[in-house]
Each structure stands twice: as C-alpha cells, then as structure tokens.
Amino acid sequence: VDLIFKRDIKISSRMKKIYEGKAKITYAKSAHQVVAVYKDVDTAFNNLKKGSIKNKGVINNSISSYLFDLLNNCNIPTHFLKKINQKSQLLKKVDIIPIEVLVRNYFAGSLSKKFGVKEGTPLSDTLIEYCLKSDELGDPHISSEHILNIGLCSFDELELIDEYSLRINDILRGIFYSIGINLIDFKLEFGVCKKTKKVILADEISPDTCRLWDIKTNKKLDKDRFRRDLGNVEEAYQEVFERLNIK
C-alpha cells in the first residue's frame, strides 16, 4: 500500500490537478490525455454521508479498467486507454456532458420508493432515466425534453447516448450473469472527446456506480452496503473483483 501511495504522489507531483471528484482525482497529462487516481473515500446522498473504505480505490480501479477494456473491444467508444498502476488510469480527455444516465433492469432504490414497488421486481423492459449532474441542485431527474431545451447536448448526441447505454447494458448483464450476479441498475456518464469531438463513455463502472445482487441470495455487492449501513462494504467489493477473475 505504501508503494501504491508513493507512486500516486509521484504522478500528482508531475502533473496539474484539474478536478477532484468524490471518487477520483484527475490530473492533466497532455492536451488530449488525463490521469485519474482512484480514492478510498466513499460518499452517498450527494456527499452528505462520507466514509473511508480500505482498498476501495485499488478494487474499483481494477474493476473499472477491466470492464472498460471489454467495452472498448466490443466497439463501445470509451475514454479508457490503459491502467497505469493499482490506483491510476490513463484516459482520453473529455468535456463531460452534465447528464447522469440511469439504466434500470429492476425496481430498486428511488424507483421503488417513487412507485411503491418492491425492490428486485423486474421491469418489463430496460428503463433509461436522466439526472442533471449537479450536487448543488441534488442531481434532479430530468426528461429528454429538458435536456434538449436547456441545451445539455444535441438531439443526435442524446440518441447516441441512449444507443450506447442499451448496448452497454446488454454486455454488462451478460458479464455479471456469467459470474452469478444480477445487474439491477447502474449509472453512466458520457463526454465529448477533446481530440475526436465524438461522444464517448466516461467516468467509471464499479460497485460504486452499479447495483449488483447475488443471483441466488439477492445479497447486495455494491454501494448500497455503505448507503444503508449494511456493513462488509470492502468484502462485497472484493467479492465482485474476485468473481470477475481479474488478473
């Protein structure tokens, strides 16, 4: 762990920090590339609840790097270039589109509360929802009409985001199902690549951004263990890592 920390310090000392989010710090490497360093901090409810989870940065970096590499190989354009070390990734530089895309396969979380439907109830079809990416406003749900009227992205870009989101869902559901996990729902973010000016997948895919339930027991293997004070958060994240058999 000390070696990992020293490498991260070495990275940050050579490059300018351009953004620090809840889960990662981003450093400028060149005009078209950045380095993201994953943190062990965990947050929930728009940063109102905070904590620290041992090895979270290492685990999430490994899982996200693995899944983004698979998506790249499935012709889903992403910002991921390579994993640098246990906590860091080399990424294409993007201008983030300020929309959080929620892809839902089952009722859970806010969707269950909103409609009074038991968590774990399957949806008849995959549901895509959008939130405005704004901690200050509480990430409010918005419609496609809001997105287009406010000018968060163009009609063509939104169509592409929807298309990619459904394809990503199909790929990820298959990957997780093969290791005995149901992909309940997940969050995606997209950006416009600085170099190509095209819409590509950004952010991360990990137990922080997905609801992952064991197929047989419905055991939660994701951030809900932190949100709901269920305990054994690191163990759950580690279990996802181990089931994916990441080398």
Side-chain angles (χ1 to χ4, degrees):
V1 175
D2 287 341
L3 184 59
I4 296 167
F5 180 75
K6 287 176 182 176
R7 279 201 297 259
D8 293 337
I9 293 297
K10 190 175 180 182
I11 286 170
S12 61
S13 66
R14 292 199 308 264
M15 294 180 289
K16 180 183 177 183
K17 182 167 78 171
I18 55 176
Y19 180 75
E20 181 166 359
K22 300 168 189 171
K24 297 179 290 294
I25 305 173
T26 304
Y27 298 92
K29 186 176 187 297
S30 68
H32 301 299
Q33 293 182 350
V34 299
V35 170
V37 178
Y38 281 68
K39 303 193 291 187
D40 291 334
V41 174
D42 214 347
T43 65
F45 312 119
N46 291 321
N47 223 20
L48 294 176
K49 182 177 182 178
K50 300 179 183 180
S52 179
I53 299 172
K54 184 181 178 183
N55 294 327
K56 174 177 171 280
V58 172
I59 294 168
N60 278 3
N61 180 38
S62 295
I63 291 173
S64 193
S65 295
Y66 174 77
L67 294 175
F68 267 79
D69 195 42
L70 283 173
L71 291 172
N72 279 335
N73 290 327
C74 291
N75 296 317
I76 301 289
T78 84
H79 69 165
F80 179 77
L81 293 170
K82 68 176 182 178
K83 181 180 174 185
I84 299 172
N85 60 41
Q86 287 187 289
K87 275 195 170 183
S88 305
Q89 300 172 346
L90 180 66
L91 308 171
K92 298 172 187 174
K93 192 172 185 180
V94 300
D95 288 321
I96 290 290
I97 297 169
I99 301 167
E100 294 182 349
V101 182
L102 309 179
V103 185
R104 300 184 184 274
N105 298 307
Y106 296 81
F107 283 89
S110 62
L111 191 67
S112 288
K113 292 177 183 177
K114 186 186 297 183
F115 295 105
V117 179
K118 182 182 178 182
E119 283 200 315
T121 302
L123 286 155
S124 59
D125 199 4
T126 301
L127 174 66
I128 293 181
E129 296 182 311
Y130 314 101
C131 291
L132 178 65
K133 186 175 166 63
S134 170
D135 286 343
E136 295 80 9
L137 298 176
D139 298 330
H141 280 74
I142 53 175
S143 67
S144 56
E145 287 81 6
H146 288 131
I147 291 170
L148 298 176
N149 273 284
I150 297 169
L152 301 178
C153 69
S154 70
F155 178 81
D156 289 344
E157 287 171 334
L158 188 58
E159 275 201 327
L160 199 55
I161 286 170
D162 285 353
E163 178 189 332
Y164 286 151
S165 297
L166 291 172
R167 285 170 57 192
I168 291 164
N169 185 48
D170 288 341
I171 295 164
L172 294 184
R173 287 189 82 177
I175 290 168
F176 284 116
Y177 187 83
S178 70
I179 58 172
I181 293 175
N182 266 332
L183 179 59
I184 303 299
D185 59 33
F186 60 102
K187 179 197 72 134
L188 296 174
E189 293 186 22
F190 292 85
V192 177
C193 181
K194 282 283 192 181
K195 188 173 184 179
T196 66
K197 307 303 180 186
K198 293 182 178 180
V199 172
I200 61 176
L201 179 65
D203 195 40
E204 67 179 275
I205 300 173
S206 71
D208 266 11
T209 62
C210 303
R211 278 193 172 93
L212 305 168
W213 294 7
D214 180 85
I215 286 175
K216 293 181 179 179
T217 67
N218 283 337
K219 176 185 175 184
K220 294 175 174 60
L221 302 170
D222 55 65
K223 192 173 181 176
D224 271 346
R225 302 203 70 85
F226 174 74
R227 289 189 190 99
R228 304 181 185 187
D229 296 318
L230 299 176
N232 299 317
V233 184
E234 183 194 343
E235 290 82 358
Y237 282 41
Q238 183 69 32
E239 185 172 339
V240 175
F241 172 82
E242 290 174 358
R243 288 202 201 185
L244 285 169
N245 196 28
I246 300 170
K247 304 299 182 185

